[in-house]
Amino acid sequence: MPTAPGGEPGGWQCLDPAQQVIGGTCVTAPEPDPDPAEEPDPVEQPPAIPPLTAYDVANFVPVPAPPTIEPFGVAIVRAPMNVAVAASSHTVGGDLFGLPMSVTFTPELLTIDYGDGTIVDVAQAAPTWEQLGQEQLSPTATSHTYAERGTASVTVDVSYSAVVDFGPWGVHPVGGYVVSQGSPVDVHIYEKQSYLVAHTCAENPSGPGC
């Protein structure tokens, strides 16, 4: 161990286990403490982000607006009714795998169930007759003609493609489509009948067809 015998100046001396002076060769200068300013910043390792599937972002999928049934929420036998759906791109923020992110959904496919056994897939938007610049009761890509009167439940499911933006960790596509299931909307189907009468309904409100 190092010691200064007698407290006199002259430097440190070293003692062996028998407390005999063996000189000052055992003493070394202490290493200076490193300057914190000169220490390199630790390199942040990128998180492990696995391939993304529709299941990973299913909780963030936007709920589609209920379909608009034209004309006026009803249908007429043997005449086209139109189904319009307002589906658009939508971005939602949140956390995934413990990381902040935002996920953007883009509508790619509409699956329309007309409630009479007819189901179609439409790879485009579903606008109204007014948006299309068409007359009412004219056929569209999402129109349908019922064969008999009654009530049908129309549902529209929207299939979205999705990408997830993890900020500094990059943008990651989601495999497959994320499907948002719509709620059914009841459509009353009426039968249009024509009558040859002598007077209008205004002239004879109790006449046939009035």
Side-chain angles (χ1 to χ4, degrees):
M1 59 176 293
T3 183
E8 298 178 357
W12 289 95
Q13 299 294 322
C14 295
L15 303 179
D16 63 12
Q19 300 298 306
Q20 300 296 318
V21 177
I22 59 175
T25 57
C26 66
V27 178
T28 57
E31 294 290 337
D33 293 333
D35 186 353
E38 296 179 357
E39 293 183 0
D41 294 331
V43 177
E44 187 175 2
Q45 297 298 318
I49 300 175
L52 302 180
T53 67
Y55 176 82
D56 295 319
V57 297
N59 290 336
F60 302 99
V61 66
V63 177
T68 298
I69 308 299
E70 299 179 309
F72 310 111
V74 301
I76 301 173
V77 173
R78 294 181 292 277
M81 53 81 77
N82 186 50
V83 176
V85 180
S88 59
S89 295
H90 187 72
T91 300
V92 180
D95 290 324
L96 189 60
F97 307 133
L99 301 171
M101 62 86 201
S102 63
V103 53
T104 299
F105 297 97
T106 301
E108 302 288 352
L109 189 70
L110 305 178
T111 300
I112 305 176
D113 185 339
Y114 293 99
D116 63 348
T118 303
I119 301 175
V120 299
D121 290 327
V122 182
Q124 56 184 350
T128 63
W129 277 319
E130 182 179 2
Q131 291 169 335
L132 290 169
Q134 295 184 205
E135 297 292 333
Q136 291 189 2
L137 305 181
S138 61
T140 70
T142 57
S143 65
H144 181 62
T145 301
Y146 291 101
E148 56 186 22
R149 64 185 180 181
T151 301
S153 292
V154 176
T155 58
V156 180
D157 297 339
V158 183
S159 298
Y160 294 90
S161 61
V163 293
V164 178
D165 187 348
F166 286 100
W169 311 121
V171 178
H172 297 250
V174 176
Y177 285 151
V178 185
V179 180
S180 180
Q181 297 181 338
S183 300
V185 174
D186 286 341
V187 178
H188 298 290
I189 307 162
Y190 297 99
E191 187 172 1
K192 180 181 179 182
Q193 296 180 345
S194 299
Y195 297 91
L196 183 61
V197 296
H199 302 283
T200 67
C201 288
E203 298 168 335
N204 181 14
S206 61
C210 296

